[in-house]
Amino acid sequence: MFIGTENLTHVYMPGTSYAAGALQDVSFSLERGEFAVIIGPSGSGKSTLVQHLNGLLKPTAGRVFFKGRTVCFGKQEMIRLRRQVGLVFQMPEEQFFSDTVYDEVAFAPRNLGLSAADESTRVEEALEQVGLKARLYRDRHPFQLSAGQKRLVAIASVLSLKPEVLILDEPTAALDFAGRHSLFNLLADLNRNLGITILVATHHLDEAASLADSVFVLKDGRLVLAGLATDIFRQREQLRKIGLALPPITEIMYGLADRGLPVDPAVFTLSDARRVINTLKRRH
């Protein structure tokens, strides 16, 4: 087990009249190099869960582990952990504070005490990894960029630390369909080409399912489903009860199955749907 939690419980403001339980007895794990997705309706605990994985939140009970060791939440350990486990918040561009893209991406490696040359190399590599040519973007003001470009700069600022794990909380918030599609393709490339372990908290099931090795479903702070995307998407009624809508393509496949056609409804990409329908046409 590379990274995950065991019997994790989190209560906000414990011991007060404002105490609110956010997570209850959540256990899950990822293997190195895996691409996984956490899905769940608003308020299910997705953000709370991922913030434990790089030490922003400390468990009320249970444990967080990384590389087989329990995270102890000491100051030095937190510094090391956050260099290896990067977290990109929802709408991260709202936290930009630098006047240039270069300085925004350089902030984290600069705090490592790198030389100017090494810092520049880190920044240029990170920008190139997210598809932004450093020579074109390094001197631009972050707030002059499009929404999608701002999101890429935010991801680059985390990649500049060369993390082993990249966690993203609702990374496609406020992006249009094309932006969401492009961003998930980028994450797939980072996972496939750089070997970065990816964990995405999202409610966009279609993009997530087509890329994920594993899917974890949260409801009311509890882990209620876990498995391969195809296995999760075969549980339509349970997903509906949780408050999650299946991708339109999957609903179409369910519609065909409901009419007695011999199809597996756990289809969530256009190419797979086309293959299934062409197979049906050949049979008839």
Side-chain angles (χ1 to χ4, degrees), residues 115-263:
S115 67
D118 287 342
E119 173 190 295
S120 180
T121 298
R122 288 278 190 110
V123 172
E124 292 180 5
E125 286 181 351
L127 288 172
E128 296 289 340
Q129 285 167 352
V130 300
L132 298 177
K133 292 186 180 299
R135 62 183 176 82
L136 298 178
Y137 288 93
R138 57 180 290 149
D139 295 324
R140 294 183 63 179
H141 196 292
F143 291 108
Q144 294 177 339
L145 305 178
S146 69
Q149 290 168 340
K150 290 176 184 175
R151 200 65 47 87
L152 296 178
V153 169
I155 294 173
S157 68
V158 174
L159 291 178
S160 66
L161 284 175
K162 298 185 178 296
E164 297 182 49
V165 182
L166 179 62
I167 302 172
L168 304 101
D169 186 7
E170 295 287 2
T172 60
L175 298 183
D176 59 17
F177 175 81
R180 296 198 305 269
H181 183 73
S182 176
L183 181 55
F184 272 110
N185 282 340
L186 167 65
L187 297 179
D189 288 341
L190 294 175
N191 174 250
R192 183 169 50 247
N193 299 329
L194 300 182
I196 299 175
T197 304
I198 304 284
L199 177 62
V200 178
T202 183
H203 62 275
H204 287 293
L205 306 189
D206 43 358
E207 292 106 335
S210 64
L211 298 172
D213 300 309
S214 301
V215 175
F216 303 94
V217 183
L218 289 178
K219 177 177 170 52
D220 297 330
R222 293 181 178 272
L223 183 64
V224 294
L225 291 172
L228 300 176
T230 50
D231 295 332
I232 299 299
F233 278 48
R234 289 191 181 100
Q235 303 186 56
R236 176 172 59 167
E237 293 309 312
Q238 189 166 356
L239 289 174
R240 284 178 172 175
K241 290 178 182 178
I242 292 169
L244 295 171
L246 289 170
I249 290 174
T250 308
E251 287 289 4
I252 292 172
M253 292 297 105
Y254 268 104
L256 295 176
D258 291 342
R259 287 166 174 76
L261 293 174
V263 300

Side-chain angles (χ1 to χ4, degrees), residues 3 33 83-84 93 126 166 246 249 251 276:
I3 187 171
R83 290 175 182 173
Q84 297 173 292
E93 57 272 17
L166 179 62
L246 289 170
I249 290 174
E251 287 289 4
V276 170

Side-chain angles (χ1 to χ4, degrees), residues 9-20:
T9 293
H10 189 81
V11 178
Y12 287 105
M13 302 182 72
T16 73
S17 58
Y18 299 101

